[in-house]
Amino acid sequence: MDKLVSIWSKDQSLPENYIFPPENRPGKFVDVPPSDTIPVIDLSKTVDNRNDTIQQILQTSKEFGFFQVINHGVSEKLINDSMSMFEELHGMSVEDKASLFSENESKSCRLYTGALNYDSEDIHYWRENLKHPCYPLQESMQHWPQNQPDTVGKYSVEVNKLGSVILELICEGLGLEAGYLGDDKLSGSALMSVNHYPPCPNPSLTLGLLKHCDPNLITILLQGDVSGLQVFKDGQWISVHPLPSAFVVNLGLVLQIISNDKLKSVKHRAVTNSKKARTSAAIFITPTSDSILEPAKALIDASNPQIYKAFEYKDFLNNYIIMADNPEKSLQPYKLKA
Ligand SMILES: O=C(O)CCC(=O)C(=O)O
Ligand SMILES: [Fe+2]
């Protein structure tokens, strides 16, 4: 519990065990200005021009593995209420934090700090995180820590719905049969992950999250109005422009596998800043753990040979956790040809 950054970090210099080696620390790239190069897609235009939206999503998915969506159907009020609730959650009293804090990785709802297992890390992330399953919702709501179950419930339902809409657009764009990506197993689970990055005395030396690819189908992230999310593109870090009522969408490794590498999951990280705490909330749309994953048959032919073999998601996830700092390597065991 004393490990939580928010509890000990005020007026302290950066401890040694938060300093990343030079090849991983942000250095001068901590301050790359927010970029407009990652497309912002207006989903309200889907009604009149579905094909256009699909093409935009496919293009940015291939180029960046990231896009933002606006006019997405989740109300601004719900977004603002939810962001306030996420901020309040991380601003809880030390006693309330203590009741949620857990170092048991298998606990379904927990507040913790660092990556997944603090004691096994040499260098820790400058963040706190609350993880909470959010789909199917009935099975998980009793664990939600705060007394605002209505807001978080509505938010989970609306964002999961948005996820289904986006997955269906991707499905059409790839030429897969309707509902392929919305299958009960393939996107049958969702996890909410609320990050909090307190102000940091030396952001150039540390990270909120080390570069990684997400191990799921897609992630729908609310990053509020404080920048910090960076995407790796052509050897450079690009900072994703914070648009308070937009969602940032990124493709996970599972979608890369299903699409037989037609779409790519792209590395990203979270940097910290010295002035303002940053709160972000991701919903990871994820296969159920017993799902069998493999590239969609419709995307394989003589000129597009199958790249990955079939495997169980549970197995992939265990392997990913061991190799999280090297996403390419985490795919390797599932490749048909080395
Ligand atoms: O906080 C952010 O902007 C990044 C979050 C993220 O990449 C993740 O939770 O996987
Ligand atoms: Fe991520």
Side-chain angles (χ1 to χ4, degrees):
M1 168 70 188
D2 295 344
K3 296 167 182 167
L4 287 176
V5 184
S6 60
I7 289 180
W8 58 260
S9 64
K10 260 192 211 103
D11 307 320
Q12 289 268 341
S13 55
L14 190 68
E16 283 280 310
N17 56 355
Y18 282 80
I19 301 179
F20 279 85
E23 65 278 16
N24 282 336
R25 66 176 71 146
K28 62 180 192 266
F29 300 107
V30 74
D31 275 334
V32 281
S35 156
D36 289 330
T37 49
I38 292 183
V40 178
I41 298 177
D42 181 347
L43 284 187
S44 67
K45 297 199 170 143
T46 313
V47 183
D48 293 326
N49 217 333
R50 190 171 176 86
N51 213 28
D52 241 29
T53 307
I54 291 174
Q55 289 322 314
Q56 283 181 54
I57 291 182
L58 263 257
Q59 195 178 333
T60 170
S61 295
K62 286 179 183 165
E63 198 177 346
F64 296 98
F66 269 81
F67 51 98
Q68 301 210 57
V69 288
I70 53 169
N71 297 326
H72 36 58
V74 184
S75 79
E76 202 163 323
K77 177 169 178 353
L78 181 59
I79 289 181
N80 292 340
D81 289 352
S82 304
M83 187 43 108
S84 305
M85 178 190 57
F86 297 140
E87 285 169 354
E88 264 171 40
L89 192 91
H90 282 288
M92 282 184 304
S93 67
V94 174
E95 295 74 43
D96 286 345
K97 282 188 180 176
S99 69
L100 273 176
F101 182 80
S102 171
E103 299 197 287
N104 176 357
E105 284 172 57
S106 59
K107 200 163 174 250
S108 68
C109 175
R110 70 173 184 130
L111 177 69
Y112 64 99
T113 188
L116 276 181
N117 184 335
Y118 185 94
D119 287 331
S120 69
E121 302 157 10
D122 294 331
I123 317 285
H124 307 298
Y125 294 174
W126 190 269
R127 72 144 184 184
E128 292 168 18
N129 182 269
L130 182 96
K131 279 215 178 0
H132 183 265
C134 68
Y135 184 86
L137 195 61
Q138 329 60 285
E139 289 172 21
S140 48
M141 269 325 289
Q142 80 270 19
H143 300 300
W144 184 252
Q146 276 213 325
N147 50 3
Q148 290 198 45
D150 286 356
T151 307
V152 74
K154 259 192 227 151
Y155 182 80
S156 304
V157 168
E158 292 299 310
V159 176
N160 276 300
K161 249 195 243 164
L162 172 63
S164 307
V165 167
I166 294 170
L167 281 174
E168 196 52 31
L169 294 167
I170 295 175
C171 203
E172 272 185 65
L174 286 172
L176 297 172
E177 69 189 72
Y180 188 94
L181 297 174
D183 174 88
D184 279 355
K185 279 199 170 297
L186 197 49
S187 55
S189 180
L191 185 70
M192 186 182 286
S193 165
V194 185
N195 294 298
H196 178 72
Y197 312 97
C200 172
N202 200 334
S204 68
L205 297 181
T206 194
L207 282 164
L209 273 177
L210 186 59
K211 67 170 189 295
H212 67 282
C213 289
D214 294 348
N216 54 320
L217 215 53
I218 55 169
T219 303
I220 306 198
L221 178 88
L222 185 63
Q223 75 153 339
D225 57 1
V226 183
S227 66
L229 173 63
Q230 297 188 339
V231 175
F232 198 59
K233 161 90 175 130
D234 301 332
Q236 309 262 14
W237 287 102
I238 307 175
S239 171
V240 182
H241 196 198
L243 299 171
S245 32
F247 288 102
V248 181
V249 182
N250 69 287
L251 312 192
L253 292 166
V254 169
L255 196 48
Q256 173 168 340
I257 292 164
I258 304 293
S259 74
N260 205 39
D261 277 359
K262 266 200 157 171
L263 306 177
K264 287 272 166 69
S265 181
V266 170
K267 283 181 215 151
H268 53 285
R269 68 183 183 185
V271 297
T272 63
N273 78 80
S274 57
K275 296 194 178 68
K276 239 181 151 182
R278 174 169 182 264
T279 300
S280 71
I283 287 192
F284 298 111
I285 299 184
T286 303
T288 56
S289 65
D290 61 344
S291 299
I292 304 294
L293 304 178
E294 62 182 333
K297 297 264 184 295
L299 301 179
I300 295 164
D301 56 29
S303 43
N304 297 289
Q306 183 169 346
I307 296 172
Y308 303 96
K309 61 184 178 190
F311 56 88
E312 203 173 12
Y313 184 56
K314 215 188 302 171
D315 180 75
F316 171 79
L317 208 52
N318 288 337
N319 187 51
Y320 170 88
I321 290 167
I322 299 166
M323 299 188 187
D325 56 341
N326 194 336
E328 285 90 7
K329 224 169 160 189
S330 70
L331 288 175
Q332 212 54 41
Y334 309 103
K335 289 201 169 167
L336 284 167
K337 268 193 227 147

